PDB file of all heavy atoms in Angstrom:
ATOM      1  N   THR A   1      91.721 106.789  98.794  1.00 98.00           N
ATOM      2  CA  THR A   1      92.820 107.032  97.816  1.00 98.00           C
ATOM      3  C   THR A   1      93.307 108.370  97.737  1.00 98.00           C
ATOM      4  O   THR A   1      92.438 109.277  97.659  1.00 98.00           O
ATOM      5  CB  THR A   1      92.198 106.564  96.515  1.00 98.00           C
ATOM      6  OG1 THR A   1      91.712 105.183  96.474  1.00 98.00           O
ATOM      7  CG2 THR A   1      93.232 106.588  95.371  1.00 98.00           C
ATOM      8  N   VAL A   2      94.589 108.560  97.857  1.00 98.00           N
ATOM      9  CA  VAL A   2      95.135 109.821  97.795  1.00 98.00           C
ATOM     10  C   VAL A   2      95.807 110.017  96.439  1.00 98.00           C
ATOM     11  O   VAL A   2      96.286 109.065  95.796  1.00 98.00           O
ATOM     12  CB  VAL A   2      96.098 110.184  98.873  1.00 98.00           C
ATOM     13  CG1 VAL A   2      97.386 109.119  98.729  1.00 98.00           C
ATOM     14  CG2 VAL A   2      96.625 111.561  98.989  1.00 98.00           C
ATOM     15  N   SER A   3      95.556 111.181  95.774  1.00 98.00           N
ATOM     16  CA  SER A   3      96.149 111.478  94.516  1.00 98.00           C
ATOM     17  C   SER A   3      96.690 112.973  94.523  1.00 98.00           C
ATOM     18  O   SER A   3      96.282 113.767  95.304  1.00 98.00           O
ATOM     19  CB  SER A   3      95.025 111.271  93.391  1.00 98.00           C
ATOM     20  OG  SER A   3      93.917 112.218  93.667  1.00 98.00           O
ATOM     21  N   ARG A   4      97.471 113.171  93.556  1.00 97.00           N
ATOM     22  CA  ARG A   4      98.074 114.449  93.425  1.00 97.00           C
ATOM     23  C   ARG A   4      98.212 114.977  92.006  1.00 97.00           C
ATOM     24  O   ARG A   4      98.457 114.281  91.084  1.00 97.00           O
ATOM     25  CB  ARG A   4      99.455 114.329  94.011  1.00 97.00           C
ATOM     26  CG  ARG A   4     100.306 115.598  94.040  1.00 97.00           C
ATOM     27  CD  ARG A   4     101.499 115.374  94.858  1.00 97.00           C
ATOM     28  NE  ARG A   4     102.402 116.464  94.890  1.00 97.00           N
ATOM     29  CZ  ARG A   4     103.255 116.784  95.845  1.00 97.00           C
ATOM     30  NH1 ARG A   4     103.488 115.836  96.807  1.00 97.00           N
ATOM     31  NH2 ARG A   4     104.063 117.926  95.792  1.00 97.00           N
ATOM     32  N   ASP A   5      97.940 116.328  91.877  1.00 96.00           N
ATOM     33  CA  ASP A   5      98.155 117.030  90.676  1.00 96.00           C
ATOM     34  C   ASP A   5      99.395 117.914  90.829  1.00 96.00           C
ATOM     35  O   ASP A   5      99.204 118.955  91.543  1.00 96.00           O
ATOM     36  CB  ASP A   5      96.950 117.800  90.217  1.00 96.00           C
ATOM     37  CG  ASP A   5      97.083 118.514  88.893  1.00 96.00           C
ATOM     38  OD1 ASP A   5      98.358 118.527  88.318  1.00 96.00           O
ATOM     39  OD2 ASP A   5      96.112 119.007  88.349  1.00 96.00           O
ATOM     40  N   ASN A   6     100.496 117.556  90.265  1.00 93.00           N
ATOM     41  CA  ASN A   6     101.805 118.275  90.464  1.00 93.00           C
ATOM     42  C   ASN A   6     101.725 119.626  89.746  1.00 93.00           C
ATOM     43  O   ASN A   6     102.566 120.509  90.134  1.00 93.00           O
ATOM     44  CB  ASN A   6     102.982 117.503  90.009  1.00 93.00           C
ATOM     45  CG  ASN A   6     103.380 116.429  91.099  1.00 93.00           C
ATOM     46  OD1 ASN A   6     103.173 116.629  92.264  1.00 93.00           O
ATOM     47  ND2 ASN A   6     103.906 115.253  90.630  1.00 93.00           N
ATOM     48  N   THR A   7     100.894 119.803  88.839  1.00 92.00           N
ATOM     49  CA  THR A   7     101.005 121.091  88.040  1.00 92.00           C
ATOM     50  C   THR A   7     100.426 122.230  88.901  1.00 92.00           C
ATOM     51  O   THR A   7     100.824 123.422  88.845  1.00 92.00           O
ATOM     52  CB  THR A   7     100.034 120.959  86.860  1.00 92.00           C
ATOM     53  OG1 THR A   7      98.596 120.790  87.223  1.00 92.00           O
ATOM     54  CG2 THR A   7     100.485 119.943  85.880  1.00 92.00           C
ATOM     55  N   ASN A   8      99.657 121.893  89.904  1.00 90.00           N
ATOM     56  CA  ASN A   8      99.079 122.949  90.836  1.00 90.00           C
ATOM     57  C   ASN A   8      99.207 122.542  92.295  1.00 90.00           C
ATOM     58  O   ASN A   8      98.740 123.261  93.250  1.00 90.00           O
ATOM     59  CB  ASN A   8      97.624 123.416  90.551  1.00 90.00           C
ATOM     60  CG  ASN A   8      96.867 122.116  90.524  1.00 90.00           C
ATOM     61  OD1 ASN A   8      97.128 121.094  91.121  1.00 90.00           O
ATOM     62  ND2 ASN A   8      95.587 122.377  89.966  1.00 90.00           N
ATOM     63  N   ASN A   9     100.002 121.423  92.610  1.00 90.00           N
ATOM     64  CA  ASN A   9     100.190 120.968  93.956  1.00 90.00           C
ATOM     65  C   ASN A   9      98.833 120.788  94.734  1.00 90.00           C
ATOM     66  O   ASN A   9      98.696 121.313  95.828  1.00 90.00           O
ATOM     67  CB  ASN A   9     101.037 121.856  94.744  1.00 90.00           C
ATOM     68  CG  ASN A   9     102.565 121.752  94.330  1.00 90.00           C
ATOM     69  OD1 ASN A   9     103.014 120.616  94.108  1.00 90.00           O
ATOM     70  ND2 ASN A   9     103.207 122.847  94.189  1.00 90.00           N
ATOM     71  N   THR A  10      97.946 120.259  94.053  1.00 96.00           N
ATOM     72  CA  THR A  10      96.544 119.871  94.730  1.00 96.00           C
ATOM     73  C   THR A  10      96.617 118.414  94.944  1.00 96.00           C
ATOM     74  O   THR A  10      96.915 117.565  94.218  1.00 96.00           O
ATOM     75  CB  THR A  10      95.464 120.252  93.816  1.00 96.00           C
ATOM     76  OG1 THR A  10      95.374 121.656  93.516  1.00 96.00           O
ATOM     77  CG2 THR A  10      94.104 119.925  94.407  1.00 96.00           C
ATOM     78  N   VAL A  11      96.260 118.123  96.266  1.00 97.00           N
ATOM     79  CA  VAL A  11      96.185 116.695  96.664  1.00 97.00           C
ATOM     80  C   VAL A  11      94.629 116.457  97.073  1.00 97.00           C
ATOM     81  O   VAL A  11      94.068 117.163  97.863  1.00 97.00           O
ATOM     82  CB  VAL A  11      97.135 116.382  97.785  1.00 97.00           C
ATOM     83  CG1 VAL A  11      96.976 115.145  98.384  1.00 97.00           C
ATOM     84  CG2 VAL A  11      98.422 116.604  97.419  1.00 97.00           C
ATOM     85  N   ALA A  12      94.175 115.288  96.586  1.00 98.00           N
ATOM     86  CA  ALA A  12      92.829 114.978  96.797  1.00 98.00           C
ATOM     87  C   ALA A  12      92.903 113.594  97.660  1.00 98.00           C
ATOM     88  O   ALA A  12      93.744 112.814  97.532  1.00 98.00           O
ATOM     89  CB  ALA A  12      92.023 114.779  95.583  1.00 98.00           C
ATOM     90  N   LEU A  13      91.844 113.492  98.512  1.00 98.00           N
ATOM     91  CA  LEU A  13      91.625 112.357  99.352  1.00 98.00           C
ATOM     92  C   LEU A  13      90.179 111.777  99.045  1.00 98.00           C
ATOM     93  O   LEU A  13      89.242 112.509  99.438  1.00 98.00           O
ATOM     94  CB  LEU A  13      91.869 112.569 100.828  1.00 98.00           C
ATOM     95  CG  LEU A  13      91.703 111.249 101.729  1.00 98.00           C
ATOM     96  CD1 LEU A  13      92.848 110.353 101.423  1.00 98.00           C
ATOM     97  CD2 LEU A  13      91.837 111.718 103.152  1.00 98.00           C
ATOM     98  N   GLN A  14      90.080 110.758  98.358  1.00 98.00           N
ATOM     99  CA  GLN A  14      88.786 110.197  98.041  1.00 98.00           C
ATOM    100  C   GLN A  14      88.496 109.081  99.096  1.00 98.00           C
ATOM    101  O   GLN A  14      89.253 108.251  99.272  1.00 98.00           O
ATOM    102  CB  GLN A  14      88.833 109.477  96.679  1.00 98.00           C
ATOM    103  CG  GLN A  14      87.544 108.809  96.201  1.00 98.00           C
ATOM    104  CD  GLN A  14      86.292 109.787  96.119  1.00 98.00           C
ATOM    105  OE1 GLN A  14      86.500 110.810  95.635  1.00 98.00           O
ATOM    106  NE2 GLN A  14      85.216 109.343  96.757  1.00 98.00           N
ATOM    107  N   MET A  15      87.581 109.333  99.837  1.00 98.00           N
ATOM    108  CA  MET A  15      87.117 108.422 101.003  1.00 98.00           C
ATOM    109  C   MET A  15      85.779 107.748 100.601  1.00 98.00           C
ATOM    110  O   MET A  15      84.711 108.374 100.440  1.00 98.00           O
ATOM    111  CB  MET A  15      86.996 109.231 102.305  1.00 98.00           C
ATOM    112  CG  MET A  15      88.172 110.029 102.521  1.00 98.00           C
ATOM    113  SD  MET A  15      88.203 110.792 104.180  1.00 98.00           S
ATOM    114  CE  MET A  15      86.919 112.024 103.919  1.00 98.00           C
ATOM    115  N   ASN A  16      85.903 106.404 100.559  1.00 98.00           N
ATOM    116  CA  ASN A  16      84.681 105.602 100.269  1.00 98.00           C
ATOM    117  C   ASN A  16      84.375 104.685 101.421  1.00 98.00           C
ATOM    118  O   ASN A  16      85.261 104.421 102.290  1.00 98.00           O
ATOM    119  CB  ASN A  16      85.017 104.770  99.038  1.00 98.00           C
ATOM    120  CG  ASN A  16      85.167 105.616  97.704  1.00 98.00           C
ATOM    121  OD1 ASN A  16      84.615 106.698  97.609  1.00 98.00           O
ATOM    122  ND2 ASN A  16      86.019 105.092  96.966  1.00 98.00           N
ATOM    123  N   ASP A  17      83.145 104.298 101.456  1.00 98.00           N
ATOM    124  CA  ASP A  17      82.699 103.350 102.543  1.00 98.00           C
ATOM    125  C   ASP A  17      83.057 103.837 103.982  1.00 98.00           C
ATOM    126  O   ASP A  17      83.647 103.168 104.785  1.00 98.00           O
ATOM    127  CB  ASP A  17      83.470 101.949 102.387  1.00 98.00           C
ATOM    128  CG  ASP A  17      82.829 100.859 103.295  1.00 98.00           C
ATOM    129  OD1 ASP A  17      81.726 101.049 103.665  1.00 98.00           O
ATOM    130  OD2 ASP A  17      83.557  99.892 103.623  1.00 98.00           O
ATOM    131  N   LEU A  18      82.671 105.056 104.099  1.00 98.00           N
ATOM    132  CA  LEU A  18      83.021 105.926 105.372  1.00 98.00           C
ATOM    133  C   LEU A  18      82.317 105.131 106.486  1.00 98.00           C
ATOM    134  O   LEU A  18      81.126 104.593 106.427  1.00 98.00           O
ATOM    135  CB  LEU A  18      82.641 107.235 105.193  1.00 98.00           C
ATOM    136  CG  LEU A  18      83.542 108.141 104.416  1.00 98.00           C
ATOM    137  CD1 LEU A  18      83.030 109.345 103.945  1.00 98.00           C
ATOM    138  CD2 LEU A  18      84.920 108.392 105.319  1.00 98.00           C
ATOM    139  N   LYS A  19      83.004 105.089 107.650  1.00 98.00           N
ATOM    140  CA  LYS A  19      82.433 104.602 108.885  1.00 98.00           C
ATOM    141  C   LYS A  19      82.299 105.692 109.997  1.00 98.00           C
ATOM    142  O   LYS A  19      82.911 106.749 109.895  1.00 98.00           O
ATOM    143  CB  LYS A  19      83.355 103.536 109.346  1.00 98.00           C
ATOM    144  CG  LYS A  19      83.702 102.394 108.505  1.00 98.00           C
ATOM    145  CD  LYS A  19      84.819 101.450 109.033  1.00 98.00           C
ATOM    146  CE  LYS A  19      85.247 100.357 108.046  1.00 98.00           C
ATOM    147  NZ  LYS A  19      86.200  99.395 108.484  1.00 98.00           N
ATOM    148  N   ILE A  20      81.433 105.470 110.915  1.00 97.00           N
ATOM    149  CA  ILE A  20      81.227 106.415 111.918  1.00 97.00           C
ATOM    150  C   ILE A  20      82.552 106.801 112.684  1.00 97.00           C
ATOM    151  O   ILE A  20      82.775 107.970 112.988  1.00 97.00           O
ATOM    152  CB  ILE A  20      80.185 105.881 113.007  1.00 97.00           C
ATOM    153  CG1 ILE A  20      78.887 105.653 112.379  1.00 97.00           C
ATOM    154  CG2 ILE A  20      80.179 106.724 114.233  1.00 97.00           C
ATOM    155  CD1 ILE A  20      77.916 105.051 113.241  1.00 97.00           C
ATOM    156  N   GLU A  21      83.392 105.837 112.789  1.00 97.00           N
ATOM    157  CA  GLU A  21      84.706 106.132 113.357  1.00 97.00           C
ATOM    158  C   GLU A  21      85.636 106.882 112.544  1.00 97.00           C
ATOM    159  O   GLU A  21      86.729 107.309 113.081  1.00 97.00           O
ATOM    160  CB  GLU A  21      85.423 104.849 113.870  1.00 97.00           C
ATOM    161  CG  GLU A  21      85.471 103.715 112.733  1.00 97.00           C
ATOM    162  CD  GLU A  21      84.402 102.696 112.781  1.00 97.00           C
ATOM    163  OE1 GLU A  21      83.174 103.073 113.138  1.00 97.00           O
ATOM    164  OE2 GLU A  21      84.700 101.541 112.512  1.00 97.00           O
ATOM    165  N   ASP A  22      85.203 107.199 111.405  1.00 98.00           N
ATOM    166  CA  ASP A  22      86.010 108.128 110.524  1.00 98.00           C
ATOM    167  C   ASP A  22      85.810 109.682 110.800  1.00 98.00           C
ATOM    168  O   ASP A  22      86.338 110.370 110.257  1.00 98.00           O
ATOM    169  CB  ASP A  22      85.816 107.900 108.976  1.00 98.00           C
ATOM    170  CG  ASP A  22      86.318 106.610 108.607  1.00 98.00           C
ATOM    171  OD1 ASP A  22      87.404 106.134 108.993  1.00 98.00           O
ATOM    172  OD2 ASP A  22      85.625 105.874 107.691  1.00 98.00           O
ATOM    173  N   THR A  23      84.832 109.845 111.662  1.00 98.00           N
ATOM    174  CA  THR A  23      84.358 111.139 112.085  1.00 98.00           C
ATOM    175  C   THR A  23      85.606 111.699 112.766  1.00 98.00           C
ATOM    176  O   THR A  23      86.159 111.391 113.753  1.00 98.00           O
ATOM    177  CB  THR A  23      83.219 111.171 113.067  1.00 98.00           C
ATOM    178  OG1 THR A  23      82.112 110.768 112.304  1.00 98.00           O
ATOM    179  CG2 THR A  23      82.963 112.584 113.597  1.00 98.00           C
ATOM    180  N   ALA A  24      85.997 112.988 112.225  1.00 98.00           N
ATOM    181  CA  ALA A  24      87.189 113.738 112.752  1.00 98.00           C
ATOM    182  C   ALA A  24      87.365 115.017 111.973  1.00 98.00           C
ATOM    183  O   ALA A  24      86.616 115.252 110.980  1.00 98.00           O
ATOM    184  CB  ALA A  24      88.474 112.834 112.665  1.00 98.00           C
ATOM    185  N   VAL A  25      88.238 115.793 112.512  1.00 98.00           N
ATOM    186  CA  VAL A  25      88.738 116.982 111.711  1.00 98.00           C
ATOM    187  C   VAL A  25      89.957 116.436 110.851  1.00 98.00           C
ATOM    188  O   VAL A  25      90.905 115.760 111.449  1.00 98.00           O
ATOM    189  CB  VAL A  25      89.166 118.137 112.591  1.00 98.00           C
ATOM    190  CG1 VAL A  25      89.766 119.167 111.692  1.00 98.00           C
ATOM    191  CG2 VAL A  25      88.029 118.726 113.407  1.00 98.00           C
ATOM    192  N   TYR A  26      89.947 116.704 109.632  1.00 98.00           N
ATOM    193  CA  TYR A  26      90.921 116.237 108.677  1.00 98.00           C
ATOM    194  C   TYR A  26      91.849 117.400 108.243  1.00 98.00           C
ATOM    195  O   TYR A  26      91.328 118.477 107.848  1.00 98.00           O
ATOM    196  CB  TYR A  26      90.401 115.545 107.376  1.00 98.00           C
ATOM    197  CG  TYR A  26      89.781 114.193 107.628  1.00 98.00           C
ATOM    198  CD1 TYR A  26      88.715 113.986 108.543  1.00 98.00           C
ATOM    199  CD2 TYR A  26      90.347 113.026 107.060  1.00 98.00           C
ATOM    200  CE1 TYR A  26      88.224 112.762 108.784  1.00 98.00           C
ATOM    201  CE2 TYR A  26      89.905 111.802 107.386  1.00 98.00           C
ATOM    202  CZ  TYR A  26      88.845 111.647 108.139  1.00 98.00           C
ATOM    203  OH  TYR A  26      88.421 110.410 108.558  1.00 98.00           O
ATOM    204  N   TYR A  27      93.159 117.279 108.430  1.00 97.00           N
ATOM    205  CA  TYR A  27      94.062 118.231 108.201  1.00 97.00           C
ATOM    206  C   TYR A  27      95.005 117.866 106.969  1.00 97.00           C
ATOM    207  O   TYR A  27      95.453 116.760 106.934  1.00 97.00           O
ATOM    208  CB  TYR A  27      94.980 118.499 109.440  1.00 97.00           C
ATOM    209  CG  TYR A  27      94.240 118.949 110.689  1.00 97.00           C
ATOM    210  CD1 TYR A  27      93.733 118.093 111.590  1.00 97.00           C
ATOM    211  CD2 TYR A  27      93.946 120.354 110.901  1.00 97.00           C
ATOM    212  CE1 TYR A  27      93.134 118.573 112.743  1.00 97.00           C
ATOM    213  CE2 TYR A  27      93.459 120.767 111.999  1.00 97.00           C
ATOM    214  CZ  TYR A  27      92.884 119.989 112.972  1.00 97.00           C
ATOM    215  OH  TYR A  27      92.249 120.367 114.040  1.00 97.00           O
ATOM    216  N   CYS A  28      95.272 118.844 106.193  1.00 97.00           N
ATOM    217  CA  CYS A  28      96.344 118.666 105.205  1.00 97.00           C
ATOM    218  C   CYS A  28      97.660 119.133 105.742  1.00 97.00           C
ATOM    219  O   CYS A  28      97.685 120.003 106.615  1.00 97.00           O
ATOM    220  CB  CYS A  28      95.979 119.565 103.991  1.00 97.00           C
ATOM    221  SG  CYS A  28      97.105 119.401 102.622  1.00 97.00           S
ATOM    222  N   SER A  29      98.764 118.418 105.408  1.00 96.00           N
ATOM    223  CA  SER A  29     100.066 118.768 105.926  1.00 96.00           C
ATOM    224  C   SER A  29     100.968 118.790 104.811  1.00 96.00           C
ATOM    225  O   SER A  29     100.795 118.186 103.665  1.00 96.00           O
ATOM    226  CB  SER A  29     100.505 117.657 106.882  1.00 96.00           C
ATOM    227  OG  SER A  29     100.698 116.502 106.231  1.00 96.00           O
ATOM    228  N   ALA A  30     102.183 119.460 105.000  1.00 95.00           N
ATOM    229  CA  ALA A  30     103.264 119.542 104.093  1.00 95.00           C
ATOM    230  C   ALA A  30     104.573 119.296 104.764  1.00 95.00           C
ATOM    231  O   ALA A  30     104.751 119.772 105.962  1.00 95.00           O
ATOM    232  CB  ALA A  30     103.275 120.872 103.319  1.00 95.00           C
ATOM    233  N   GLY A  31     105.488 118.683 104.155  1.00 91.00           N
ATOM    234  CA  GLY A  31     106.719 118.272 104.823  1.00 91.00           C
ATOM    235  C   GLY A  31     106.745 116.935 105.303  1.00 91.00           C
ATOM    236  O   GLY A  31     105.645 116.481 105.710  1.00 91.00           O
ATOM    237  N   TRP A  32     107.881 116.369 105.554  1.00 88.00           N
ATOM    238  CA  TRP A  32     107.968 115.032 106.350  1.00 88.00           C
ATOM    239  C   TRP A  32     109.217 114.999 107.078  1.00 88.00           C
ATOM    240  O   TRP A  32     110.262 115.067 106.513  1.00 88.00           O
ATOM    241  CB  TRP A  32     107.796 113.822 105.391  1.00 88.00           C
ATOM    242  CG  TRP A  32     107.638 112.566 106.100  1.00 88.00           C
ATOM    243  CD1 TRP A  32     108.603 111.676 106.336  1.00 88.00           C
ATOM    244  CD2 TRP A  32     106.492 112.192 106.830  1.00 88.00           C
ATOM    245  NE1 TRP A  32     108.047 110.580 107.236  1.00 88.00           N
ATOM    246  CE2 TRP A  32     106.778 110.974 107.415  1.00 88.00           C
ATOM    247  CE3 TRP A  32     105.157 112.710 106.984  1.00 88.00           C
ATOM    248  CZ2 TRP A  32     105.812 110.257 108.219  1.00 88.00           C
ATOM    249  CZ3 TRP A  32     104.222 112.035 107.669  1.00 88.00           C
ATOM    250  CH2 TRP A  32     104.535 110.864 108.256  1.00 88.00           C
ATOM    251  N   PRO A  33     109.157 114.928 108.467  1.00 90.00           N
ATOM    252  CA  PRO A  33     107.806 114.899 109.201  1.00 90.00           C
ATOM    253  C   PRO A  33     106.956 116.195 108.984  1.00 90.00           C
ATOM    254  O   PRO A  33     107.384 117.196 108.492  1.00 90.00           O
ATOM    255  CB  PRO A  33     108.236 114.919 110.588  1.00 90.00           C
ATOM    256  CG  PRO A  33     109.582 114.392 110.591  1.00 90.00           C
ATOM    257  CD  PRO A  33     110.302 114.963 109.335  1.00 90.00           C
ATOM    258  N   ALA A  34     105.609 115.984 109.104  1.00 85.00           N
ATOM    259  CA  ALA A  34     104.704 117.045 108.807  1.00 85.00           C
ATOM    260  C   ALA A  34     105.024 118.361 109.629  1.00 85.00           C
ATOM    261  O   ALA A  34     105.264 118.334 110.771  1.00 85.00           O
ATOM    262  CB  ALA A  34     103.252 116.623 109.199  1.00 85.00           C
ATOM    263  N   PHE A  35     105.148 119.345 108.892  1.00 89.00           N
ATOM    264  CA  PHE A  35     105.631 120.741 109.412  1.00 89.00           C
ATOM    265  C   PHE A  35     104.650 121.762 109.199  1.00 89.00           C
ATOM    266  O   PHE A  35     104.438 122.663 110.234  1.00 89.00           O
ATOM    267  CB  PHE A  35     107.056 121.019 108.827  1.00 89.00           C
ATOM    268  CG  PHE A  35     107.737 122.077 109.570  1.00 89.00           C
ATOM    269  CD1 PHE A  35     108.420 121.851 110.838  1.00 89.00           C
ATOM    270  CD2 PHE A  35     107.756 123.366 109.112  1.00 89.00           C
ATOM    271  CE1 PHE A  35     108.945 122.843 111.513  1.00 89.00           C
ATOM    272  CE2 PHE A  35     108.350 124.384 109.753  1.00 89.00           C
ATOM    273  CZ  PHE A  35     109.076 124.134 110.838  1.00 89.00           C
ATOM    274  N   PHE A  36     103.942 121.798 108.149  1.00 95.00           N
ATOM    275  CA  PHE A  36     102.962 122.897 107.932  1.00 95.00           C
ATOM    276  C   PHE A  36     101.586 122.221 107.903  1.00 95.00           C
ATOM    277  O   PHE A  36     101.420 120.986 107.512  1.00 95.00           O
ATOM    278  CB  PHE A  36     103.188 123.503 106.507  1.00 95.00           C
ATOM    279  CG  PHE A  36     104.529 124.299 106.523  1.00 95.00           C
ATOM    280  CD1 PHE A  36     105.631 123.664 106.034  1.00 95.00           C
ATOM    281  CD2 PHE A  36     104.497 125.613 106.973  1.00 95.00           C
ATOM    282  CE1 PHE A  36     106.883 124.421 106.028  1.00 95.00           C
ATOM    283  CE2 PHE A  36     105.731 126.352 107.035  1.00 95.00           C
ATOM    284  CZ  PHE A  36     106.907 125.674 106.451  1.00 95.00           C
ATOM    285  N   TRP A  37     100.643 122.881 108.419  1.00 96.00           N
ATOM    286  CA  TRP A  37      99.276 122.433 108.550  1.00 96.00           C
ATOM    287  C   TRP A  37      98.202 123.332 108.020  1.00 96.00           C
ATOM    288  O   TRP A  37      98.390 124.604 108.087  1.00 96.00           O
ATOM    289  CB  TRP A  37      98.908 122.137 110.022  1.00 96.00           C
ATOM    290  CG  TRP A  37      99.796 121.163 110.672  1.00 96.00           C
ATOM    291  CD1 TRP A  37     100.962 121.464 111.284  1.00 96.00           C
ATOM    292  CD2 TRP A  37      99.773 119.642 110.649  1.00 96.00           C
ATOM    293  NE1 TRP A  37     101.546 120.247 111.822  1.00 96.00           N
ATOM    294  CE2 TRP A  37     100.809 119.287 111.412  1.00 96.00           C
ATOM    295  CE3 TRP A  37      98.745 118.843 110.197  1.00 96.00           C
ATOM    296  CZ2 TRP A  37     101.021 117.929 111.568  1.00 96.00           C
ATOM    297  CZ3 TRP A  37      98.872 117.597 110.345  1.00 96.00           C
ATOM    298  CH2 TRP A  37     100.077 117.054 111.065  1.00 96.00           C
TER     299      TRP A  37
END
């Protein structure tokens, strides 16, 4: 579940029931298409 607090532009990603295949480096991005990382 992704959520956002617009008062401080904080975005959270709650990850439940994680699987081995979820192993990775996770990057936050801004813009669409994503432009900043």
Side-chain angles (χ1 to χ4, degrees):
T1 302
V2 64
S3 59
R4 177 170 181 157
D5 183 349
N6 284 328
T7 62
N8 56 16
N9 285 318
T10 299
V11 173
L13 181 67
Q14 178 66 42
M15 303 187 293
N16 299 326
D17 190 23
L18 283 160
K19 304 176 181 180
I20 292 173
E21 52 265 39
D22 292 319
T23 295
V25 178
Y26 284 67
Y27 296 91
C28 182
S29 70
W32 189 256
F35 192 77
F36 295 96
W37 299 93

